[in-house]
Amino acid sequence: MPLKELAERRNILHRKSGAETILKHVLDDVQIGRVAMVSSFGAESVVLLHMVSQIAPDTPILFLDTEMLFPETLTYQREVAELLGLTDVRIIRPSREKLLENDVDSILHTIDPDACCSLRKTQPLEEALAEFDGWITGRKRAHGGARAQLPLYEKQDRKIKVNPLASWDTAQIASYLDKHDLPRHPLVARGFTSIGCTPCTTKVAAGEDLRAGRWRGMEKSECGIHIVDGKVIRRENAA
């Protein structure tokens, strides 16, 4: 079955399903195949990580360490993985050889942020996902911009991408965190509502979009991992 048709069928099947039901299905969906979860261990990540830990704690979890993350994120990643009993967390890092060749001084983000994201995120993730047929993300329509019409299932390149929390808003996230007494990322209390690499992440003021602190002042709102029609989404196209 063509992947686009498969995604459309799953969207119809799960149009009224809860996130846990979607997760249970995708982790055992023979038509999709082998699936991994990609997690930033960011501001809201622990919700989906907790759900996965309750369903299949041996699910491969791909964590991209760009080597430019906040120290708090690295500590949080280790603590959450241990707390939830996730047994197959894979730390994905950029190629040492490519870093020495293309960003030896770690300043590429100031010159060409798209190239930096490609080097430190997109390329390593593509290599890590090569063995999988699909992947799970924590993206939500409430993030706005290009994500406002986010489907539960979508085709990206030759894989199926699944967004179980697509319909969730901030209130649902907060309620789930409270219900299960889950630890918050320490930077959330300091005003970071979306957390990426240190040089490209800032605090978000009251009333701003949740992702306003990502690549602030740049014509960019996605790292390239999540794309629309083969293109990295920029702010002027994301409203």
Side-chain angles (χ1 to χ4, degrees):
M1 181 187 301
L3 291 182
K4 185 175 182 180
E5 181 181 349
L6 178 58
E8 290 172 350
R9 289 192 178 192
R10 290 295 179 271
N11 280 322
I12 294 171
L13 177 65
H14 289 294
R15 64 189 182 279
K16 296 183 179 180
S17 297
E20 291 95 336
T21 298
I22 294 169
L23 274 175
K24 288 177 182 178
H25 191 164
V26 71
L27 290 172
D28 195 36
D29 193 328
V30 295
Q31 287 191 287
I32 291 179
R34 193 159 184 236
V35 173
M37 178 179 167
V38 176
S39 179
S40 66
F41 284 79
E44 300 174 339
S45 298
V46 71
V47 169
L48 200 54
L49 289 165
H50 178 263
M51 290 181 184
V52 169
S53 75
Q54 299 301 297
I55 298 167
D58 59 344
T59 298
I61 309 292
L62 308 184
F63 170 62
L64 279 165
D65 178 3
T66 65
E67 301 188 352
M68 299 187 83
L69 298 177
F70 288 91
E72 291 89 341
T73 296
L74 299 176
T75 300
Y76 185 66
Q77 181 272 310
R78 293 190 295 269
E79 292 176 349
V80 168
E82 181 177 358
L83 175 69
L84 299 183
L86 300 168
T87 61
D88 192 8
V89 178
R90 307 182 186 188
I91 312 299
I92 311 302
R93 295 185 175 91
S95 161
R96 179 62 47 195
E97 180 179 331
K98 290 181 180 178
L99 284 178
L100 291 174
E101 180 181 351
N102 298 288
D103 195 16
V104 66
D105 297 319
S106 299
I107 61 172
L108 183 59
H109 66 278
T110 67
I111 303 167
D112 188 341
D114 283 347
C116 184
C117 286
S118 176
L119 177 66
R120 294 178 179 273
K121 291 185 177 183
T122 311
Q123 293 177 33
L125 181 60
E126 286 177 350
E127 293 176 8
L129 283 172
E131 64 180 281
F132 299 100
D133 305 296
W135 50 301
I136 301 163
T137 88
R139 293 184 303 159
K140 306 164 194 70
R141 295 171 193 143
H143 289 168
R147 304 185 179 195
Q149 303 301 319
L150 189 69
L152 293 170
Y153 288 76
E154 58 186 322
K155 172 187 175 295
Q156 181 169 314
D157 299 325
R158 297 181 181 180
K159 301 183 188 300
I160 292 290
K161 190 193 298 189
V162 187
N163 310 298
L165 301 181
S167 65
W168 282 44
D169 57 24
T170 53
Q172 288 173 288
I173 293 293
S175 176
Y176 191 96
L177 289 169
D178 290 339
K179 178 181 179 180
H180 297 281
D181 193 24
L182 296 172
R184 272 68 164 176
H185 192 297
L187 291 180
V188 171
R190 289 163 51 187
F192 293 85
T193 56
S194 181
I195 304 163
C197 294
T198 305
C200 299
T201 304
T202 59
K203 297 179 182 180
V204 173
E208 284 191 304
D209 183 271
L210 291 175
R211 289 176 58 82
R214 303 292 293 277
W215 302 285
R216 189 180 292 277
M218 304 180 195
E219 294 180 350
K220 177 179 174 68
S221 63
E222 294 281 1
C223 60
I225 291 173
H226 306 299
I227 58 178
V228 175
D229 295 330
K231 299 178 181 179
V232 178
I233 299 303
R234 300 181 177 279
R235 293 199 182 279
E236 68 265 28
N237 296 326

